[in-house]
Amino acid sequence: MIRFAFAIVLSLTAMTASAQIEIQEITSPDGIDAWLVEEESIPFVALEIIFDGGATLDLPGKRGATNLMMALLEEGSGDLDARTFQEKRENLAASFGFSTGDDAVTVSAVFLVENQDEALALLRDALVNPRFDQSAIDRVRAQVLSGIRSDATNPNRIAGATLDALAFGDHPYGSSLDGTAESVAGLTQQDLFDAHRNALSTGRVYVGAAGDISADALGELVDELLGALPEDVPALPDRIDFDLSGGTTIVPFDTPQSVALFGHSGIERDDDDFFAAFILNEVMGGRGVESRLMREVREKRGLTYGVSTFLVPKDLSEMYLGQVASANDRIADAIAVIRDEWALMANEGLSQEELDDAKTYLTGAYPLRFDGNADIAGILAGMQSVGLSTDYVANRNDFINAVTLDDVNRVAAELLDPENLHFVVVGQPEGLTSTE
């Protein structure tokens, strides 16, 4: 039984193609919400399932448990060991994906309609009845530990870990969701069952589906797939401010090129000014070679191959970050230019031409995101997880176009904080010193 359903027809026109997307919002008989784009012309279905919480739900001393648990879900379930599970999935021509983020874990699936029942039974076992065999734990743990060792020699990873630790301290955001070599080595089978119980709950779940399936069938599918998971959810950690003042932190590393990660506090996704900040970022460092920082740092001065900026509105905190790499003897100059441009944008804002160009790019590129059932399913689940409504897709470009030059320049003055812009530099930079 479907309790309610409604649809919005959206016309999305790209340069070479157009698409109509009808979003149906349903509630399953057991009360689980899902969004659907029904498309009968291609005989397969894509699912995206997001469970809020993610690696922030790691228990004290068990950092990395959620990540390791999710990596093990395809390593055997019910009566099937890892090899048998993989063989059965391959014979069904089904694709499953299990990933971990700071704020959520995600399950993706693509399967043929003709194999739907068998594919879903296999996926259900993975979600509800994981085995966590010791042999699989040891093998996947070794892969995670190899990644942790590799990260310890990767300048970009070092910069990210350093910035996170400085900004967030003991909060889960302050450490890698992979865990440390020590924490991962100490994880037991029971720790993984605990992580599974905490991470996979229907109390904070969002489901997107696209393909050859009806609303009624999706309601039944969702209950069959997720109905045996717990409904109650563990408490999330508290919100935390990005607690890092302006300055420079240098992490010595033997390399001819330094990398820098920089940033300060950001803006919440549901802030009324988010779209103005989104456009601001596109102009500042989000549009590749067309951005202001690329023009000033790369094109005019040849100090880098690339520099970019990005808004990071996490569930429990917000950041505005950027990254750049340059030769050790030029990184100081690159940082100086970035600091100057940060202050210039905060004080003077952007031009009408920059605003118009950014709007044209953002509105023109948006329809291209709806390219295939898997992409659409991911968008549907993602929209729900950040509190958007189904009419967002129809109205999103209108939100972009409604931003005025006064709006974006006011937000530039409020959001950009040159005095608190902090750089973490990994390498052997010349002409820079740590300010800690």
Side-chain angles (χ1 to χ4, degrees), residues 22-287:
E22 180 181 303
I23 301 176
Q24 301 178 69
E25 185 175 356
I26 73 167
T27 298
S28 76
D30 288 346
I32 299 174
D33 294 333
W35 289 6
L36 167 66
V37 169
E38 189 173 352
E39 175 52 68
E40 299 176 353
S41 63
I42 304 176
F44 75 90
V45 177
L47 286 178
E48 185 93 354
I49 306 167
I50 297 175
F51 298 88
D52 265 358
T56 65
L57 297 176
D58 281 341
L59 296 175
K62 307 298 181 181
R63 193 62 168 150
T66 303
N67 179 62
L68 181 58
M69 179 273 296
M70 291 297 292
L72 283 160
L73 290 183
E74 251 191 325
E75 298 295 330
S77 63
D79 296 330
L80 306 177
D81 62 15
R83 175 177 290 183
T84 307
F85 184 98
Q86 295 289 352
E87 289 175 348
K88 190 169 183 179
R89 180 190 56 75
E90 290 174 4
N91 289 337
L92 292 169
S95 173
F96 302 152
F98 306 94
S99 62
T100 305
D102 283 328
D103 297 316
V105 297
T106 302
V107 178
S108 305
V110 178
F111 48 86
L112 294 169
V113 172
E114 65 183 81
N115 296 332
Q116 176 175 310
D117 291 345
E118 291 177 277
L120 288 173
L122 189 63
L123 180 58
R124 181 187 184 279
D125 259 359
L127 297 179
V128 176
N129 299 310
R131 288 168 56 122
F132 300 140
D133 292 333
Q134 192 61 50
S135 59
I137 293 173
D138 292 341
R139 174 166 42 79
V140 178
R141 189 203 320 264
Q143 296 169 2
V144 173
L145 290 172
S146 177
I148 291 172
R149 289 191 295 270
S150 177
D151 288 348
T153 61
N154 183 316
N156 289 296
R157 295 287 190 174
I158 294 170
T162 302
L163 185 73
D164 289 344
L166 290 171
F168 298 116
D170 293 334
H171 190 277
Y173 286 169
S175 60
S176 170
L177 61 82
D178 292 338
T180 65
E182 293 75 20
S183 68
V184 173
L187 293 174
T188 66
Q189 184 186 62
Q190 185 57 52
D191 293 331
L192 299 175
F193 279 113
D194 291 342
H196 175 266
R197 169 64 182 79
N198 288 337
L200 301 184
S201 165
T202 59
R204 285 194 293 253
V205 69
Y206 307 96
V207 180
D212 188 8
I213 186 170
S214 69
D216 288 313
L218 178 61
E220 295 174 1
L221 179 158
V222 167
D223 285 346
E224 177 63 24
L225 188 61
L226 305 177
L229 293 173
E231 294 183 31
D232 58 314
V233 294
L236 296 172
D238 293 335
R239 284 187 54 83
I240 184 170
D241 292 331
F242 184 90
D243 187 21
L244 187 57
S245 58
T248 304
T249 299
I250 295 175
V251 182
F253 191 81
D254 187 10
T255 175
Q257 177 174 268
S258 291
V259 300
L261 183 65
F262 55 92
H264 54 54
S265 60
I267 184 171
E268 294 185 28
R269 176 61 185 80
D270 59 358
D271 192 292
D272 290 342
D273 286 326
F274 182 81
F275 280 103
F278 187 58
I279 294 172
L280 168 67
N281 176 65
E282 281 298 304
V283 174
M284 190 68 178
R287 288 191 61 201

Side-chain angles (χ1 to χ4, degrees), residues 29 109 117 288 395 415:
D117 291 345
N395 297 328
L415 176 62

